[in-house]
Amino acid sequence: GLMSLIPTVTQLTETTEEGNLALDASLQVSEAIRLYADQSFAYAWRAYNSDPADDPNGAGTAPGATFSVAGLVNAAGSNVVGTVTFYVDEFGTGDAVLNAKLGLPKDLDGIVGDSADVSATYTLLPFRIAVDWKDHLGHPRHTEIFSQVASY
């Protein structure tokens, strides 16, 4: 009984530590986006989206939409396990559950009428940070957080 309990507790501890790494990294990226938006709100989208060509200080100079987490690996063995996704369609995502988490549909740019792309005019920018990794036993794991930045 006791001998089989020890490996199980160790595995649970490792899984919890991995989850904590993922959550901590997500919160750090969320805070970095907020700080970037505080410094230059108009550039937050450009700095953390998936297009390196529109980075505020020149192509490839911004953090971008993916990030690594030390201690975690994806199915391909890379430590690039995190993704930032911005939502700039005022109509929502087409996914009712995701829309509810993001509070969509709603006005994101303060301009009368809904738009499918407010990436150049947003005053409210909702985003999701997801981390997908393979745990120490090879099982897929996922965590995500939702947040938004706003221009006042």
Side-chain angles (χ1 to χ4, degrees), residues 30 33 85-87 125-129 145-149:
S30 178
I33 292 170
T85 306
F86 290 110
Y87 296 91
L125 185 59
F127 60 92
R128 174 179 70 122
I129 299 174
I145 63 170
F146 295 86
S147 191
Q148 60 188 8
V149 289

Side-chain angles (χ1 to χ4, degrees), residues 52-53 55 58-62:
D55 290 353
T61 60

Side-chain angles (χ1 to χ4, degrees), residues 33-46 108 119 121-125 148-152:
I33 292 170
R34 188 194 65 76
L35 290 171
Y36 202 95
D38 284 350
Q39 294 173 10
S40 179
F41 188 75
Y43 290 152
W45 155 263
R46 292 172 48 201
L108 300 175
S119 60
T121 58
Y122 64 86
T123 56
L124 181 65
L125 185 59
Q148 60 188 8
V149 289
S151 176
Y152 296 103

Side-chain angles (χ1 to χ4, degrees), residues 26-70:
S26 298
L27 294 172
Q28 288 174 12
V29 171
S30 178
E31 181 64 8
I33 292 170
R34 188 194 65 76
L35 290 171
Y36 202 95
D38 284 350
Q39 294 173 10
S40 179
F41 188 75
Y43 290 152
W45 155 263
R46 292 172 48 201
Y48 287 91
N49 71 19
S50 60
D51 183 4
D54 73 349
D55 290 353
N57 295 316
T61 60
T66 60
F67 58 93
S68 300
V69 178

Side-chain angles (χ1 to χ4, degrees), residues 1 3 6 12 45 58 72 86-87 93 95 106-107 113 117 126 136 140 146 148:
M3 293 308 284
I6 293 172
L12 181 60
W45 155 263
L72 300 181
F86 290 110
Y87 296 91
T93 67
D95 178 330
K106 70 175 148 192
D107 184 8
D117 183 2
H136 64 283
F146 295 86
Q148 60 188 8

Side-chain angles (χ1 to χ4, degrees), residues 7-32:
T8 302
V9 170
T10 301
Q11 291 171 353
L12 181 60
T13 300
E14 290 173 0
T15 301
T16 301
E17 288 173 3
E18 292 169 349
N20 287 340
L21 287 173
L23 182 58
D24 288 347
S26 298
L27 294 172
Q28 288 174 12
V29 171
S30 178
E31 181 64 8

